[in-house]
Amino acid sequence: MTLKVFTKVYRIGLINMKRIVLLSLAICMVLVNFKATPTVRKHALIIAIGDYPEETNWKDISSVNDIGLIKSALGKQGFDRFIIRKNEEADKEGILEAFKEFESGLSAGDIAVVHFSSHGQQIYDENGDEIDGYDEAIVAYGAPAKYDPAYQGENHLLDEELGELLDGLRMKLGKDGDILVTVDACHSGTATRGEGITRGGVAPFAPEGYKPERVDKKEVGVFEVSKSST
């Protein structure tokens, strides 16, 4: 069977000692279904942020350890093009540039994997498209944990921004291409579904006293569902 989806995102959130083994097995189990022809190339974009600047108030995490693990697992599946950004290379500008470079090397019918390992955070919703009043965001390198009037989230990578980046990859790959996205970050649950269990102990990034104007669990937000499932 060949997976032909997407901007739907598969979440793999794994922790502690079992994390490395389970992540490797999960990737291999999914990729065994990718049917490639001799002309199809396999590409991977790996973004890992673990050593955040002290002034951001984020604790360091072991995200960078994922790079070797994932690269090895994908290499065994025939992936031969890797774009990797880690720590200070993966501020928001660096992530956007990495996606641009990654997309430029794709061809119709190719296979692509995108992986994020980083902190994740909820951030106040400015355009009213979220069911709970909060966007979810990848915490890019240098993005602070606490709201400040001088910084209002410009360096966080919002779910809808990520969705647009993935749409670009999807269009470049065409109807015969395949893309798998894994997100190992707090609050990544709604990358694949409207409601579900999320993890994370950091307070949402929002002005003091912020109250969502729109909270409707019966509706589904923009990025919580697949835009294409053919």
Side-chain angles (χ1 to χ4, degrees), residues 181 192 202 230:
V181 180
T192 56
V202 176
T230 58

Side-chain angles (χ1 to χ4, degrees), residues 43-44 54 56 64 66 68 72 86 88 95 113 118 130 143 159 173 176 187 191 204 216 226:
H43 317 251
E54 184 177 352
T56 64
V64 174
D66 286 352
S72 175
K86 63 180 181 179
E88 63 273 9
I95 292 172
V113 166
S118 67
E130 294 287 343
D159 50 10
L173 291 168
D176 293 322
H187 303 292
D216 188 349
S226 169

Side-chain angles (χ1 to χ4, degrees), residues 22-223:
L22 291 176
L23 181 55
S24 181
L25 288 174
I27 289 175
C28 289
M29 289 174 66
V30 172
L31 293 179
V32 75
N33 291 313
F34 284 133
K35 305 291 186 180
T37 66
T39 59
V40 170
R41 192 173 181 188
K42 299 180 180 181
H43 317 251
L45 172 60
I46 304 172
I47 296 171
I49 314 164
D51 299 329
Y52 287 83
E54 184 177 352
E55 62 270 19
T56 64
N57 291 313
W58 288 106
K59 293 182 179 180
D60 289 348
I61 50 179
S62 57
S63 299
V64 174
N65 293 343
D66 286 352
I67 295 174
L69 164 70
I70 295 171
K71 188 174 181 180
S72 175
L74 294 179
K76 294 175 182 177
Q77 296 292 330
F79 283 72
D80 63 359
R81 178 176 176 246
F82 293 89
I83 292 178
I84 298 170
R85 297 291 184 270
K86 63 180 181 179
N87 294 330
E88 63 273 9
E89 301 170 341
D91 58 7
K92 188 172 181 180
E93 182 179 357
I95 292 172
L96 295 178
E97 286 297 322
F99 266 90
K100 184 177 179 180
E101 180 183 349
F102 188 63
E103 182 179 330
S104 70
L106 301 178
S107 298
D110 281 353
I111 295 170
V113 166
V114 177
H115 176 77
F116 280 94
S117 290
S118 67
H119 279 298
Q121 187 177 28
Q122 289 184 305
I123 185 169
Y124 70 105
D125 177 26
E126 290 191 291
N127 59 10
D129 69 339
E130 294 287 343
I131 59 175
D132 61 355
Y134 291 95
D135 286 297
E136 282 68 49
I138 296 293
V139 180
Y141 184 88
K146 297 181 180 179
Y147 178 87
D148 187 297
Y151 172 79
Q152 300 181 26
E154 297 86 350
N155 294 328
H156 285 67
L157 180 66
L158 301 183
D159 50 10
E160 52 213 45
E161 294 176 307
L162 177 56
E164 292 177 0
L165 295 172
L166 296 176
D167 282 342
L169 302 184
R170 175 69 273 169
M171 294 297 292
K172 191 72 180 288
L173 291 168
K175 64 182 179 64
D176 293 322
D178 293 284
I179 180 170
L180 170 71
V181 180
T182 59
V183 181
D184 185 8
C186 291
H187 303 292
S188 60
T190 56
T192 56
R193 55 191 180 277
E195 297 180 47
I197 297 173
T198 60
R199 58 186 174 88
V202 176
F205 185 92
E208 185 176 354
Y210 169 73
K211 292 183 179 180
E213 294 182 2
R214 174 172 174 260
V215 178
D216 188 349
K217 293 185 178 181
K218 295 180 181 179
E219 297 187 21
V220 179
V222 169
F223 190 54

